[in-house]
Amino acid sequence: MTTETMEAPAVPVPTATPPHPLREFWGYFSANHGAVAGLVIIAVVLLVALLAPVIAPHDPNITDTAIALKPPFWQEGGSIAYPLGTDPIGRDILSRVMHGARLSLLIGIAVVALSIAIGTVLGLVAGFFRGLTEIFIMRLMDIILTLPSLLLAIVIVAVLGPGLMNAMLAVALVILPHYVRLARAAVITETSKDYVTAARVSGAGTTRLMFKEVLPNCTAPLIVQASLGISTAILDAAALGFLGLGAQPPSPEWGTMLADAREFVLRAWWVVTFPGLAILITVLAFNLLGDGLRDALDPKLKR
Amino acid sequence: MAAPPFSVLAMLRFILTRVSLIIPTFIGITLLAFFLIRLVPGDPIETLAGERGIDPARHEQLRKEYGFDKPVIVQYGIYLARVLQGDLGKSMITQEPVLNEFSSLFPATIELATCAILFALLLGLPAGIIAAIRRNSIFDHGVMGISLAGYSMPIFWWGLILILLFSVQFDLTPVSGRIDVLYYIEPITGFLLIDTLLSDEPEAFWSAVRHLILPTIVLGTVPLAVIARMTRSAMLEVLGEDYIRTAKAKGLSRFRIVALHALRNALIPVVTVIGLQIGVLFTGAILTETIFSWPGVGKWLIDAIFRRDYPVLQGGALLLGVVVMSVNLLVDLAYGLINPRIRHTR
Amino acid sequence: MKKSALFAAICVPAFLAAAPLAAKTLVYCSEGSPENFYPGINTTGTSFDVNEHIYDNIVDFERGGTQVVPGLAEKWDISADGTVYTFHIRKNAKFHSNKNFKPTRNVNADDIVFMIERQWKEDNPFFKVTSPNHSYFTDMGMPALLKSVEKVDDYTVRITLNKPEAPFLSNLAMQFAGVQSKEYADAMLKAGTPEKIDQEPIGSGPFTLVQYQKDAIVRFKAFPEYWGGKAKIDDLVFSITPDASVRWAKLQKGECHVMPYPNPADLEAIKKDPNVTLMEQAGLNVGYLAYQTTKKPFDDVRVRKAFNMAMNKKAIVDAVFLGSGVPATNPIPPSMWSFNKSIKDDEYNPEAAKKLLAEAGYPNGLETDLWAMPVQRPYNPNARRIAELMQADLAKIGVKAEIKSFEWGEYRKRAQAGEHQMAQLGWTGDNGDPDNFLHTLLGCASAQSNSGSNIAKWCHKPFDDLVTKAKVVTNQAERTKLYEEAQKIFKEQAPWFTVAHAVQLKPVRKEVVDFKLSPFGRHTFYGVDIKGK
């Protein structure tokens, strides 16, 4: 992941009473225009996704070969009824992109949720038990990291069979090492701290220690990693879709739409341009948000 | 050679630890590649026979021939033993040794990857440095904005859009391939940029360059974004250090400060990031090679998956893994070597 | 760095000196890399296209036709009972040479015998070299057919068969029977590198291989001493370009001269381009959607008929084939003899379809699966897109169809086992006989086998009787009648929704002279010339 040092935003000079943590967070966060922009875009995409059946002008799967490959409305031959044009079998691209937002958000969130759940547990276990368990888990993660991630994802999809669910599983596995490493590192730093020793002395069990004491203390980096992870997940799933291994047609997943329309690239620029643009914008928004969250949440990087 | 002996020993131990860490990873990759590919549905013999099918007797005979009738564990043992002797098997489709196929295709990937990294460095380093020096200027915001967009780029789409614009619309660059087919270049190194210079056809070199432009941009986009951001933040950190302030106080020129002091120290994390980008680069290479019909290992591996060419996939994944591990090791070692010196200079 | 065998192609020093632009070069944008340079084990047209130029056969097909003409054999005699073939080999056929091997003699009987024994006799030292799977040789029934192959003298070979076989000569003209040099094989065997003969090929064909780089290029040079005279072009280059749109872009720019398998999406532009001719030829194929007739709900002919009426065939063919196919009514293509012109296709009528479906007991529609092949086939440029259109049409009569796809090998296996409810598939004929379609694809024998091609699993006695009878009758007029009747039953029973017959299309640049389409879909460039430059 990239690291970036942001300048300390112009927050009010600290007064005698420290501000509420959430308020302080918002203070840092809102000063970062990029992050706010990211948040707004995500809110819009989320809204479009939720309301897609209502606001989409057409059914995303209705085909009408009579209006195949209509250009967007501002080009000659286009019509306002199909603002971004139609695909090779006459489906409205705008409607498909809108419905695709549902899939992409679902992919991003589900993949990261799964990956965090498994990754945190593995990381906590590795960090707590050390020894052979740790070596085994961390070696496995090293192996996953050594192979090109897309190659690994493709092999997994080849094993499980193409499809949205399997693509999501594959991507979740591929991004797993980041969370494991993060959680393990956090555990190792946290366990050396006094409060954990104190809790241990007072007789807290390992599981309790892991989830009640240590985990809450490493949520900040996890949240940051999660929002960046969503963008990776969306990109990787779209790449799988592009190679014909992700969501299957007629599902309007953006990568799949690109793959499906690729042969028309020389003839109808709009069929490939808009789904790709949708990917770019959504991923960019999550990256902006992630950067903003990191700067606001991670005190170590705050200067 | 006045280095104290203990540091040499420490270095040696450091190297040995790093290398010994590689062995389990290596075995792990062989295991993963071997067993994962066997879980893929579909019979490699059927695939080998092609669409015409194959009669059961011949099928059985071939299964024996390839050793698929033995228990999987035994197959793995045989495979590992052969790998350790440097024999990665033969492709089931072409019957060519995997190592030969790899070594004939790898230069194309390396050439593309090197150009992409160079492209990323040449643009990313200056952009990051200037952004750091002119912090919060429009330039800074612009660079950071663009680099974040680059980092968010679905590169398979980026490739299509660039082809659409530069090859189709403006007819500036060729659509795909490595060189104009009219040139016959004797492969000496496998790197076309070098081979064309060695040949007696200077135009061939330019043809190769023109073919490289778009794939380089596409593959270099993500590393470019990462390097620009990394350079900027490393520079910011270094510029805030005491010794830079001292230098400033001494009245050294701004250029000297940046070029001689800040940059040298800021480069270290950047080099690390480049090392870490190698794995990412191969992922990108798979997509880039697919889009531009670039005859490299990424495309080769994808084809192998679709054709169930077990030996190619196992061998290819292993070789790529070894390359990534070696690069990481080198970066680690370089970092370990540079690190103490940094402390001294401070 | 070790130079790999792939790279270390055969270098003809004279060629290096020649300026590339002075020579006549024809560039063919091929769709993929050849498997290797031994046609005996090749199975794809892609490999045959390459090897066809390097090797000669005993006999050949005339260019652009199906007629058998002399090849390495100047002439041949067939015994009265049709079991003994005596081939007289021409004396002036020379082999190529490369850096490892210089031939000392011309093609003779030893080479012919070697070609057959390598694929036939397991004790031949080359039987297992590269691969023991000589799939065409086995498929054509050669092992059972051949009794003996003898060298009578240096230029005469006698082949004895176990029984007469009319297509034997045509079989020998197929690419798998390309003749390699026995002398080269012996030399390489002695050197301990027998596999070299399949990697750095020596043939007697019109072109020598100069360079091969996987996934990039195959480069040939005209062989000046070719017995049929030097090719009109000097250099032949296969520029390997897997993506159809990219092939077209290259053809448009003049980066290549001939390309196979254009993308239907580009046809309109191809037709408009003044520098390009679009050659076309009706293909011997059919693409269809098969109903699994032994499973509910498709065991009911009314459901099948309702489905046939619900799907808008013309719209599907227009949208997906985009002019590279014609809607199919019968299971055999219109260009084939016995095609029944009087049969009317089921009309597109969703209302009637809905009614019929209700009659069959499904007033509220039903749910089913709809399989789409994961690959592009000559008879079907985009099965997924067809499936999407069918799905949308079926939704209008209340049918919910779920599109499914599997890895291609898996797909065929599962479809042949009848695991589907509806599955798309197609067929390209091998020999131009209706039996090859009607009996193979729709007969009871192949419905009952788990590896048969009748994936509708349709075994209908009256139909089967007709096509089985037509197999043994020799009178073509009588056979025609039987097949016409069979097609009528087929339409009434509707085991398939016949989709389309694809047309073989080949965009060729105008400067290419005398390129001929082959009914077998081959790409042969000997005899082709190029204008200008």
Side-chain angles (χ1 to χ4, degrees):
Chain A
M1 284 299 119
T2 57
T3 40
E4 187 197 2
T5 328
M6 291 299 294
E7 193 204 3
V11 278
V13 194
T15 46
T17 48
H20 186 272
L22 261 182
R23 211 196 167 87
E24 190 195 355
F25 161 74
W26 181 248
Y28 281 119
F29 186 83
S30 60
N32 183 341
H33 298 300
V36 175
L39 192 64
V40 170
I41 297 174
I42 292 170
V44 171
V45 175
L46 195 67
L47 219 60
V48 168
L50 286 176
L51 300 177
V54 185
I55 55 174
H58 303 272
D59 183 310
N61 294 326
I62 287 280
T63 61
D64 180 355
T65 46
I67 51 153
L69 290 177
K70 266 195 179 306
F73 70 90
W74 61 85
Q75 276 206 337
E76 205 185 314
S79 90
I80 198 74
Y82 303 94
L84 300 185
T86 59
D87 76 356
I89 49 178
R91 294 175 294 204
D92 177 40
I93 289 183
L94 178 66
S95 307
R96 286 180 70 73
V97 170
M98 284 176 157
H99 281 263
R102 309 184 123 193
L103 287 172
S104 285
L105 287 184
L106 172 80
I107 291 167
I109 293 164
V111 164
V112 169
L114 184 68
S115 211
I116 284 195
I118 301 175
T120 321
V121 171
L122 284 180
L124 286 178
V125 168
F128 259 98
F129 294 107
R130 311 302 288 264
L132 269 183
T133 328
E134 182 191 22
I135 292 177
F136 179 74
I137 294 177
M138 296 322 287
R139 282 303 96 193
L140 195 64
M141 294 304 126
D142 279 355
I143 294 168
I144 296 181
L145 278 181
T146 306
L147 292 173
S149 64
L150 188 63
L151 183 66
L152 188 61
I154 291 168
V155 176
I156 295 169
V157 174
V159 171
L160 300 172
L164 185 58
M165 268 312 282
N166 295 340
M168 280 162 63
L169 280 177
V171 177
L173 188 96
V174 167
I175 61 172
L176 192 62
H178 299 291
Y179 299 100
V180 178
R181 286 186 160 188
L182 203 67
R184 171 177 162 273
V187 171
I188 289 173
T189 21
E190 294 294 323
T191 41
S192 62
K193 286 189 182 159
D194 292 344
Y195 75 97
V196 177
T197 323
R200 197 168 260 167
V201 168
S202 66
T206 310
T207 322
R208 205 191 124 78
L209 259 180
M210 257 161 52
F211 289 99
K212 282 260 167 160
E213 307 291 342
V214 175
L215 187 56
N217 279 298
C218 56
T219 39
L222 276 178
I223 290 177
V224 173
Q225 187 64 49
S227 77
L228 295 172
I230 291 180
S231 60
T232 318
I234 294 176
L235 268 184
D236 284 3
L240 284 177
F242 179 73
L243 293 172
L245 294 164
Q248 297 297 301
S251 140
E253 197 273 320
W254 294 332
T256 310
M257 281 173 75
L258 271 180
D260 211 26
R262 192 179 155 194
E263 63 192 89
F264 291 88
V265 66
L266 300 180
R267 190 174 148 192
W269 59 271
W270 57 94
V271 290
V272 287
T273 305
F274 296 117
L277 217 51
I279 302 176
L280 175 60
I281 291 172
T282 313
V283 171
L284 183 60
F286 276 103
N287 278 333
L288 283 170
L289 177 74
D291 272 7
L293 284 178
R294 180 182 36 227
D295 296 339
L297 280 177
D298 196 339
K300 269 169 268 167
L301 286 171
K302 244 181 260 171
R303 274 166 211 286
Chain B
M1 294 293 151
F6 68 86
S7 81
V8 174
L9 268 181
M11 202 62 231
L12 210 62
R13 206 167 66 199
F14 173 72
I15 293 176
L16 277 179
T17 337
R18 296 299 312 169
V19 173
S20 69
L21 275 179
I22 277 187
I23 294 166
T25 314
F26 177 81
I27 302 222
I29 292 177
T30 62
L31 271 169
L32 198 71
F34 185 86
F35 286 100
L36 215 50
I37 185 73
R38 267 163 183 70
L39 291 176
V40 177
D43 179 348
I45 306 271
E46 292 279 346
T47 316
L48 174 78
E51 219 150 295
R52 305 192 62 84
I54 185 165
D55 73 289
R58 178 55 53 99
H59 188 283
E60 203 39 49
Q61 187 189 351
L62 281 177
R63 258 172 67 83
K64 281 217 179 76
E65 197 91 15
Y66 284 100
F68 292 143
D69 55 334
K70 298 193 180 76
V72 183
I73 283 291
V74 178
Q75 287 183 46
Y76 175 71
I78 296 172
Y79 171 68
L80 195 62
R82 285 204 187 135
V83 166
L84 292 177
Q85 292 163 27
D87 175 10
L88 293 172
K90 276 185 185 178
S91 157
M92 299 194 58
I93 306 288
T94 64
Q95 311 298 334
E96 183 83 7
V98 173
L99 206 58
N100 285 9
E101 292 208 338
F102 184 84
S103 55
S104 82
L105 295 170
F106 199 49
T109 302
I110 289 287
E111 186 167 76
L112 176 58
T114 311
C115 288
I117 281 286
L118 282 181
F119 163 78
L121 279 175
L122 287 181
L123 281 183
L125 276 181
I129 293 168
I130 299 176
I133 296 171
R134 305 235 174 107
R135 187 187 198 181
N136 279 336
S137 65
I138 294 182
F139 183 84
D140 182 20
H141 289 305
V143 165
M144 287 302 100
I146 292 173
S147 77
L148 197 64
Y151 185 66
S152 311
M153 190 63 81
I155 64 166
F156 44 95
W157 175 72
W158 185 222
L160 290 181
I161 295 294
L162 288 181
I163 291 180
L164 200 57
L165 275 179
F166 291 100
S167 301
V168 180
Q169 207 70 29
F170 302 129
D171 200 10
L172 290 175
T173 51
V175 179
S176 78
R178 279 181 84 188
I179 191 168
D180 197 310
V181 291
L182 287 175
Y183 298 109
Y184 171 61
I185 301 301
E186 170 80 350
I188 298 166
T189 58
F191 301 103
L192 270 184
L193 288 184
I194 301 173
D195 288 349
T196 47
L197 285 179
L198 294 176
S199 77
D200 47 8
E201 292 175 51
E203 318 92 69
F205 175 74
W206 294 112
S207 169
V209 169
R210 271 163 29 93
H211 281 79
L212 256 169
I213 295 173
L214 287 191
T216 296
I217 295 177
V218 168
L219 187 56
T221 298
V222 174
L224 168 62
V226 173
I227 286 171
R229 287 159 68 82
M230 196 61 216
T231 310
R232 176 181 175 274
S233 64
M235 277 300 281
L236 281 180
E237 202 164 325
V238 173
L239 286 175
E241 298 277 352
D242 292 340
Y243 66 99
I244 296 287
R245 288 175 207 212
T246 319
K248 251 186 209 164
K250 273 195 204 155
L252 288 182
S253 80
R254 198 183 160 105
F255 177 79
R256 275 183 70 100
I257 295 173
V258 171
L260 290 181
H261 297 270
L263 187 57
R264 194 194 286 163
N265 289 303
L267 272 181
I268 291 156
V270 175
V271 168
T272 318
V273 165
I274 296 171
L276 292 177
Q277 283 290 307
I278 296 293
V280 180
L281 214 57
F282 282 127
T283 286
I286 291 176
L287 291 168
T288 313
E289 287 176 4
T290 306
I291 293 168
F292 290 98
S293 304
W294 193 265
V297 288
K299 204 173 147 301
W300 176 62
L301 282 174
I302 296 284
D303 287 348
I305 289 176
F306 288 120
R307 290 167 167 175
R308 286 189 207 334
D309 198 338
Y310 286 180
V312 165
L313 195 53
Q314 284 159 12
L318 191 66
L319 289 168
L320 267 195
V322 168
V323 170
V324 174
M325 284 192 300
S326 316
V327 173
N328 285 349
L329 182 70
L330 282 180
V331 170
D332 261 10
L333 293 182
Y335 203 69
L337 283 173
I338 299 165
N339 226 355
R341 208 173 50 104
I342 301 165
R343 250 176 259 126
H344 288 307
T345 48
R346 278 191 187 177
Chain C
M1 178 182 272
K2 190 182 140 255
K3 218 159 59 163
S4 88
L6 279 179
F7 259 116
I10 313 87
C11 305
V12 183
F15 179 69
L16 283 172
L21 289 176
K24 275 186 186 174
T25 304
L26 186 136
V27 184
Y28 168 63
C29 270
S30 72
E31 73 280 12
S33 296
E35 293 154 329
N36 45 52
F37 298 99
Y38 175 36
I41 56 168
N42 290 162
T43 54
T44 62
T46 312
S47 304
F48 287 139
D49 283 345
V50 168
N51 286 326
E52 153 135 26
H53 293 96
I54 302 172
Y55 297 107
D56 264 331
N57 285 32
I58 305 175
V59 289
D60 245 316
F61 288 119
E62 65 169 334
R63 202 157 63 89
T66 55
Q67 201 68 35
V68 175
V69 296
L72 288 174
E74 268 174 320
K75 55 187 190 334
W76 53 90
D77 320 303
I78 306 171
S79 67
D81 67 349
T83 57
V84 181
Y85 286 70
T86 311
F87 292 99
H88 304 280
I89 310 301
R90 66 177 70 244
K91 299 191 167 94
N92 60 344
K94 289 192 159 58
F95 276 116
H96 311 154
S97 61
N98 67 18
K99 63 179 184 328
N100 295 321
F101 175 74
K102 305 274 170 281
T104 61
R105 60 165 177 80
N106 287 0
V107 178
N108 69 18
D110 288 330
D111 302 309
I112 309 287
V113 174
F114 173 63
M115 181 272 289
I116 293 176
E117 290 198 337
R118 180 175 180 188
Q119 312 195 48
W120 184 30
K121 298 249 164 91
E122 289 198 28
D123 55 2
N124 185 291
F126 278 85
F127 182 80
K128 281 187 179 168
V129 170
T130 303
S131 164
N133 189 32
H134 304 276
S135 70
Y136 267 88
F137 187 81
T138 318
D139 271 8
M140 295 297 133
M142 292 292 187
L145 189 65
L146 291 174
K147 192 173 186 182
S148 69
V149 178
E150 306 147 83
K151 167 181 173 182
V152 177
D153 60 47
D154 268 359
Y155 293 97
T156 314
V157 174
R158 186 189 302 132
I159 300 179
T160 314
L161 308 182
N162 285 319
K163 59 175 170 63
E165 168 96 354
F168 182 66
L169 271 183
S170 309
N171 290 347
L172 286 180
M174 291 171 71
Q175 286 111 326
F176 78 87
V179 175
Q180 294 181 302
S181 161
K182 173 88 167 30
E183 198 192 0
Y184 182 40
D186 288 342
M188 289 302 113
L189 191 64
K190 216 166 148 196
T193 52
E195 69 281 357
K196 275 246 157 78
I197 69 164
D198 302 333
Q199 292 164 358
E200 297 169 14
I202 296 276
S204 57
F207 291 90
T208 54
L209 180 74
V210 178
Q211 182 195 28
Y212 166 54
Q213 201 199 341
K214 193 174 161 54
D215 290 343
I217 199 169
V218 188
R219 186 183 296 275
F220 306 91
K221 185 174 169 50
F223 181 44
E225 293 159 278
Y226 183 57
W227 58 264
K230 182 185 162 295
K232 290 176 186 144
I233 48 174
D234 301 302
D235 298 309
L236 173 64
V237 175
F238 282 24
S239 174
I240 300 167
T241 317
D243 189 294
S245 286
V246 174
R247 283 203 290 277
W248 162 234
K250 284 184 157 181
L251 190 84
Q252 214 174 353
K253 286 177 147 195
E255 288 176 28
C256 56
H257 300 103
V258 181
M259 66 171 272
Y261 316 116
N263 199 329
D266 298 328
L267 286 179
E268 211 176 297
I270 294 173
K271 280 180 191 148
K272 276 190 205 140
D273 195 310
N275 299 318
V276 173
T277 321
L278 185 64
M279 298 177 73
E280 48 186 285
Q281 190 176 55
L284 287 179
N285 62 60
V286 64
Y288 56 86
L289 173 79
Y291 304 114
Q292 220 290 24
T293 56
T294 62
K295 270 190 187 166
K296 272 205 169 315
F298 297 110
D299 52 348
D300 188 335
V301 64
R302 286 173 299 184
V303 176
R304 305 199 293 258
K305 274 278 179 196
F307 272 54
N308 273 4
M309 285 193 284
M311 293 183 275
N312 189 347
K313 187 178 296 179
K314 193 176 173 311
I316 291 173
V317 175
D318 284 351
V320 181
F321 286 78
L322 301 159
S324 65
V326 287
T329 306
N330 292 338
I332 59 172
S335 55
M336 189 174 269
W337 59 269
S338 86
F339 178 85
N340 192 337
K341 284 192 211 90
S342 66
I343 291 175
K344 283 265 167 301
D345 206 358
D346 301 299
E347 63 160 345
Y348 169 60
N349 187 343
E351 280 314 306
K354 218 169 171 175
K355 220 180 274 167
L356 196 58
L357 203 59
E359 237 171 74
Y362 301 96
N364 304 319
L366 55 96
E367 280 184 30
T368 174
D369 59 20
L370 169 53
W371 291 19
M373 291 106 65
V375 289
Q376 203 175 24
R377 306 301 312 149
Y379 46 77
N380 188 335
N382 192 332
R384 277 182 175 184
R385 192 163 289 142
I386 290 184
E388 286 170 48
L389 287 165
M390 288 176 168
Q391 185 189 41
D393 280 345
L394 290 172
K396 289 175 197 150
I397 61 161
V399 172
K400 211 177 150 224
E402 188 195 347
I403 299 176
K404 282 191 184 165
S405 197
F406 304 92
E407 181 274 319
W408 180 220
E410 194 72 5
Y411 184 96
R412 276 173 292 148
K413 221 191 218 163
R414 290 192 188 208
Q416 283 169 349
E419 289 181 27
H420 58 288
Q421 285 181 291
M422 301 197 285
Q424 289 185 64
L425 208 64
W427 184 256
T428 305
D430 306 305
N431 57 10
D433 195 295
D435 171 74
N436 187 234
F437 279 78
L438 295 171
H439 187 265
T440 315
L441 301 180
L442 293 155
C444 281
S446 105
Q448 280 144 5
S449 147
N450 249 1
S451 56
S453 298
N454 185 346
I455 67 159
K457 297 281 152 195
W458 184 64
C459 175
H460 189 68
K461 187 104 196 344
F463 178 91
D464 195 56
D465 287 348
L466 287 171
V467 293
T468 317
K469 190 170 172 207
K471 216 174 157 56
V472 288
V473 172
T474 45
N475 182 320
Q476 183 154 337
E478 208 173 317
R479 289 185 72 197
T480 305
K481 258 208 203 110
L482 293 166
Y483 284 132
E484 280 178 351
E485 185 60 25
Q487 288 167 63
K488 222 153 122 200
I489 298 178
F490 166 85
K491 207 70 216 175
E492 283 160 17
Q493 288 294 318
W496 294 353
F497 174 69
T498 47
V499 180
H501 307 293
V503 178
Q504 190 196 156
L505 294 169
K506 236 128 268 165
V508 175
R509 282 188 72 85
K510 289 258 162 73
E511 55 264 36
V512 176
V513 183
D514 201 24
F515 176 73
K516 286 184 179 160
L517 288 178
S518 143
F520 304 104
R522 296 174 169 196
H523 304 96
T524 312
F525 297 101
Y526 177 69
V528 178
D529 199 357
I530 194 155
K531 273 187 292 196
K533 283 201 177 165

